[in-house]
């Protein structure tokens, strides 16, 4: 072993050791700085000498290459679900069934983690494969994503020839709140609950995305083992902990079902204080040999049962209903409550979702209501106690204008949400500016969410237009900045002034208008001023611009806030004219509209669209009577069906090649 290979092995061993001390034992021995320094050294060595990199190197924690799809995995030991109980009587019945077969059985009780069940397989002490439960018999190979979970050991203490364990991937409550806050900031759909977030994160095709989600795991069962003899469940958990796993918390056995049920009740009382979600408690037979004696049904083990907790409910009074503006402009009614303690915390507010929800339940200010925490996290109103009304309750009315900026509030047809229309609304500033500078919009390098937040906090900017009036001295003292970075950012802003017009149109964040529609509008109207003065009739005459889009464009440019915003951009010197030149080869496709669907073998879809435009044609994302041709590749779906139903000519990739010869 040469010096390089030896150093890589030393760093790998050290990092694996400190990873366990930090994430499993909760007793770190070195600082984060020292850990990161060692990790950086290992990354550099592996980059220079890839032949010495191990498949389970600590550097895989940050994520590897993305995959195109997940491979199916057959579970040799089925990953069964749990039989469920909702009352003490059902627990007593379970005990009766167990004791009729094995009178001397003892029990263990565990929190039932509300997450995603996975299998982890180790060969010769090395993490070899990880998979989802799936239907219990067949799951998906998510090995690369599971490698990013820092509480999963990549190398065991002992070189067991084979080990398969089962655990529950979850997301902590704090981490869930942080991720949803970021998703809201960037205008992405929010996760409904931590379990939903954990499942969505684990099934990302790009492991780098999974790595950023900071998933966690509890191991709760040995599925298969070679190289060790495990007699009881508690023995197994202690053995797994020695190997480097983060195991389920409880390690105590109970001689009677009464004792076990008492622990179930205790767990229910503790769940509000836990940093992770649980949706019940599981009672299991402790002795492994006795489990094998009882066996399984086709769906669940006969030796365990899950007690499901009912959602805790409390009665309180709605003192007021206020509205708050989300960072995407959605107006959400919020009930202000008399404070009650529920599921481990004091609650004084509850979401009312939207006006339809309020009307459906007939919720009024002054009502007595029953509330519970949806998923044990978000307080929600379950029902109104109408018999408690005394006649002074007030019906809620949605305001006409945004309380933050004064802009009109609208509700579009077919939607339940009301939205603020203000381009300068303080509640939407961060999200609007993040979109304005994003890659598909003005593409300003070095201007991420944290920098924008600092600028807003320091009152350096109020809108995206203010970015173009900043100077190096204004921003050089911000966190993660400095003279050089500040200068680079000002240069990037200056460079963006000459961006194509379509980028500016897309950067406005006009509802229903994305990059493709922005390109269509820029090419058709040539100047921003022409677009500002366009009518709904003119806009709907364009391919791919529908009624909603046209109305949204006209409404956006008619607002006073928008006019002031654009004036400030023009004064800063931004390009407001379409200067792009289409490389027209000939006009053989003039007047024709193509729709592309399915997977093309020899063209990227964007390249095919460019070819069509270079021959004078246009492309559309939807099939209509105006469509001339549908270019269909492999696995074409609903667009192909619609083309056939309308009698639109469908062409293959080979036929398209003939047309462009």
């Amino acid at each position: 072993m040469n010096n390089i290979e030896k150093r890589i092995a030393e760093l790998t061993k050290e990092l694996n050791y400190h990873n366990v001390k930090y994430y499993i034992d909760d007793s770190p021995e070195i600082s984060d700085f020292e850990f990161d320094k060692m990790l950086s050294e290992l990354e550099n060595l592996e980059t220079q000498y890839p032949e010495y990199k191990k498949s389970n190197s600590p550097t895989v924690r940050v994520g590897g290459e993305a995959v195109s799809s997940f491979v199916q995995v057959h579970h040799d030991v089925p990953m069964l679900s749990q039989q469920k109980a909702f009352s003490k009587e059902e627990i007593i019945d379970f005990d009766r069934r167990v004791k009729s077969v094995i009178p001397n059985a003892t029990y263990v009780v565990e929190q039932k983690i509300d997450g995603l069940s996975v299998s982890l397989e180790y060969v010769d002490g090395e993490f070899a494969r990880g998979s989802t439960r799936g239907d219990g018999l067949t799951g998906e190979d998510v090995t690369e994503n599971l490698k990013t979970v820092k509480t999963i050991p990549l190398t065991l203490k002992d070189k067991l020839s084979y080990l398969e364990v089962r655990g529950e991937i979850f997301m902590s409550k704090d981490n869930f709140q942080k991720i949803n806050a970021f998703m809201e900031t960037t205008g992405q759909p929010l996760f409904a609950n931590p379990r939903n977030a954990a499942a969505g994160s684990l099934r990302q095709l790009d492991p780098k995305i999974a790595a950023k989600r900071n998933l966690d795991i509890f191991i709760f069962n040995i599925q298969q083992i070679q190289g060790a003899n495990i007699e009881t469940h508690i023995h197994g958990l202690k053995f797994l902990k020695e190997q480097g796993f983060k195991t389920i918390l409880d390690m105590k056995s109970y001689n009677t079902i009464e004792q076990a049920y008492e622990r179930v009740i205790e767990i229910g009382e503790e769940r509000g204080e836990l940093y992770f979600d649980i949706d019940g408690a599981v009672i299991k037979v402790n002795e492994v040999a006795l489990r094998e004696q009882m066996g399984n049904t086709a769906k669940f083990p006969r030796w365990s049962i899950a007690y499901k907790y009912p959602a805790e409910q409390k009665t309180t009074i709605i003192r007021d209903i206020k509205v708050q503006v989300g960072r995407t402009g959605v107006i959400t009614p919020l009930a202000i409550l008399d404070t009650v303690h529920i599921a481990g915390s004091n609650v004084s507010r509850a979401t009312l979702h939207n006006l339809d929800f309020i009307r459906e339940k007939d919720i009024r200010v002054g009502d007595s209501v029953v509330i519970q925490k949806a998923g044990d996290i978000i307080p929600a109103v379950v029902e109104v106690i109408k018999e408690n009304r005394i006649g002074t309750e007030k019906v809620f009315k949605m305001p006409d204008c945004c309380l933050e900026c004064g802009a009109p509030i609208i509700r579009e047809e077919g939607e339940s949400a009301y939205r603020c229309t203000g381009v300068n609304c303080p509640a939407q500033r961060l999200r609007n500016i993040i979109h304005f500078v994003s890659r598909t919009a003005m593409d300003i390098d070095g201007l991420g969410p944290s920098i924008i937040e600092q600028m807003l906090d320091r009152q350096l900017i109020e809108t995206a237009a203010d970015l173009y009036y900043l100077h190096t001295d204004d921003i050089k003292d911000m966190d993660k900045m400095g003279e050089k970075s500040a200068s680079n950012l000002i240069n990037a802003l200056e460079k963006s002034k000459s961006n194509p017009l379509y980028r500016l149109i897309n950067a406005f964040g006009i509802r229903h208008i994305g990059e493709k529609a922005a390109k269509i509008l820029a090419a058709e109207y040539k100047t921003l001023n022409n677009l500002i003065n366009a009518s709904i009739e003119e806009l709907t005459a364009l391919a791919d611009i529908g009624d909603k889009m046209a109305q949204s464009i006209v409404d956006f440019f008619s607002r006073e806030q928008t006019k002031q915003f654009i004036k400030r951009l023009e004064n800063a010197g931004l390009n407001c004219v379409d200067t792009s030149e289409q490389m027209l080869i000939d006009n053989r496709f003039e007047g024709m509209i193509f729709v592309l669907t399915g997977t093309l073998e020899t063209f990227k879809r964007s390249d095919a669209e460019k070819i069509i435009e270079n021959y004078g044609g246009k492309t559309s994302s939807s099939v209509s009577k105006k469509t001339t041709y549908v270019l269909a590749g492999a696995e074409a779906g609903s667009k192909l069906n619609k083309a056939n139903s309308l009698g639109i000519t469908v062409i293959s990739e080979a036929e398209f090649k003939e047309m462009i010869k």
Side-chain angles (χ1 to χ4, degrees), residues 101-228:
V101 179
I102 42 177
N104 60 332
T106 61
Y107 296 114
V108 291
V109 183
E110 300 170 346
Q111 294 103 334
K112 187 175 183 297
I113 311 298
D114 192 12
L116 186 72
S117 201
V118 296
S119 159
L120 309 178
E121 297 174 74
Y122 292 78
V123 177
D124 295 329
E126 297 289 325
F127 181 41
R129 184 169 68 174
S131 54
T132 60
R133 176 179 177 270
D135 62 3
L137 298 175
T138 304
E140 293 177 318
D141 188 329
V142 288
T143 305
E144 295 308 310
N145 286 353
L146 286 169
K147 284 181 178 179
T148 70
V149 180
K150 296 181 178 65
T151 40
I152 292 178
L154 301 177
T155 302
L156 302 181
K157 178 190 170 198
D158 299 330
K159 287 194 173 182
L160 299 169
S161 56
Y162 183 76
L163 172 68
E164 181 187 4
V165 298
R166 180 171 173 179
E168 198 82 0
I169 289 287
F170 68 94
M171 183 176 287
S172 71
K173 295 176 182 178
D174 285 348
N175 194 33
F176 169 72
Q177 301 290 2
K178 289 176 184 176
I179 287 175
N180 257 0
F182 176 78
M183 302 286 270
E184 185 181 16
T185 297
T186 53
Q188 300 177 67
L190 303 187
F191 289 115
N193 51 55
R195 187 194 183 283
N196 176 268
S201 301
L202 191 63
R203 298 194 73 258
Q204 290 288 333
L205 294 176
D206 186 352
K208 290 184 175 65
I209 297 175
K212 293 177 181 177
R213 300 283 174 81
N214 291 322
L215 297 175
D216 208 338
I217 192 170
F218 276 120
I219 302 300
F220 60 82
N221 203 55
I222 295 175
Q223 300 290 90
Q224 302 182 75
I225 188 168
Q226 296 172 12

Side-chain angles (χ1 to χ4, degrees), residues 348-501:
S348 58
R349 297 183 172 205
T351 179
L352 297 177
H353 304 293
N354 52 55
L355 191 59
D356 289 346
F357 179 84
I358 293 173
R359 287 174 175 168
E360 179 186 335
K361 292 188 176 291
D362 189 20
I363 298 171
R364 305 178 186 183
V365 176
D367 271 335
S368 295
V369 292
V370 176
I371 67 165
Q372 71 180 36
K373 280 190 176 181
D376 286 337
I377 290 206
I378 304 166
V381 173
V382 178
E383 64 175 320
V384 176
I385 307 174
K386 294 182 180 178
E387 56 268 29
N388 287 1
R389 284 181 175 167
I390 58 175
T392 58
E393 295 78 15
K394 296 178 182 177
V395 176
F396 170 75
K397 181 179 180 297
M398 188 69 77
D400 296 322
C401 296
C402 175
L403 302 182
E404 295 280 353
C405 71
I409 289 174
I410 63 167
R411 178 180 184 175
E412 294 188 358
E413 186 179 348
E415 291 194 356
S416 60
Y418 283 77
R419 293 178 183 273
C420 167
T421 59
V423 69
N424 291 343
C425 181
Q428 301 178 69
R429 279 177 186 160
L430 180 59
R431 181 258 179 185
N432 288 345
I433 297 172
I434 288 172
H435 171 73
F436 188 91
V437 306
S438 64
R439 185 177 56 82
T440 58
M442 294 304 284
D443 192 22
I444 301 171
D445 190 37
L447 195 50
S450 63
I451 300 297
I452 295 170
E453 280 192 276
Q454 285 188 71
M455 290 177 173
L456 289 168
D457 290 342
R458 296 184 180 209
Q459 299 183 339
L460 294 173
I461 59 173
E462 288 187 359
T463 72
D466 297 330
L467 293 168
Y468 294 98
Y469 294 86
L470 293 172
H471 299 92
T472 303
D473 289 344
D474 296 328
I475 59 177
K476 67 180 182 181
D477 294 328
M478 294 196 312
D479 293 343
K480 299 181 181 179
M481 270 291 174
E483 188 85 38
K484 181 65 175 175
S485 297
S487 177
N488 289 341
L489 179 52
I490 297 301
N491 290 337
L493 285 162
E494 189 64 30
K495 180 183 176 183
S496 74
K497 290 180 181 180
S498 57
N499 278 345
L501 175 59

Side-chain angles (χ1 to χ4, degrees), residues 20-91:
V20 171
K21 296 303 291 182
Y22 186 93
Y23 290 103
I24 308 299
D25 298 340
D26 198 23
S27 57
E29 295 179 357
I30 61 174
S31 67
D32 289 351
F33 175 79
E34 291 172 296
F35 185 92
D36 292 341
K37 191 176 178 182
M38 280 196 292
L39 186 64
S40 178
E41 182 185 351
L42 181 58
E43 285 178 317
N44 290 335
L45 287 174
E46 289 177 343
T47 301
Q48 295 178 58
Y49 305 96
E51 64 270 26
Y52 299 133
K53 180 176 180 178
K54 304 295 184 185
S55 61
N56 282 339
S57 165
T59 58
V60 302
R61 299 293 194 187
V62 298
E65 295 299 314
V67 298
S68 57
S69 61
F70 295 118
V71 177
Q72 288 195 332
V73 175
H74 173 73
H75 299 305
D76 292 335
V77 176
M79 297 178 70
L80 302 175
S81 58
Q82 293 286 348
Q83 55 181 317
K84 296 177 178 61
F86 298 91
S87 66
K88 183 177 180 180
E89 288 71 27
E90 290 171 288
I91 296 296

Side-chain angles (χ1 to χ4, degrees), residues 252-265:
K252 183 179 178 182
S253 64
Y254 302 91
N255 293 321
T256 69
I257 198 65
E258 287 290 342
Q259 292 171 336
Y261 183 71
E262 284 178 16
R263 179 59 189 143
V264 167
I265 299 305

Side-chain angles (χ1 to χ4, degrees), residues 214-274:
N214 291 322
L215 297 175
D216 208 338
I217 192 170
F218 276 120
I219 302 300
F220 60 82
N221 203 55
I222 295 175
Q223 300 290 90
Q224 302 182 75
I225 188 168
Q226 296 172 12
N229 183 38
I230 304 299
E231 296 180 352
T232 67
H233 184 71
I234 291 176
H235 175 207
L237 292 180
K238 289 178 179 177
F239 174 80
L240 292 176
K241 188 169 179 60
E242 290 171 1
Q243 296 303 314
F245 290 101
K246 181 176 180 177
T247 57
I248 207 76
L249 301 180
D250 281 14
M251 290 193 188
K252 183 179 178 182
S253 64
Y254 302 91
N255 293 321
T256 69
I257 198 65
E258 287 290 342
Q259 292 171 336
Y261 183 71
E262 284 178 16
R263 179 59 189 143
V264 167
I265 299 305
E266 285 178 3
I267 291 174
E269 293 170 350
E270 295 165 357
R271 61 177 170 156
E273 312 300 329
L274 299 173

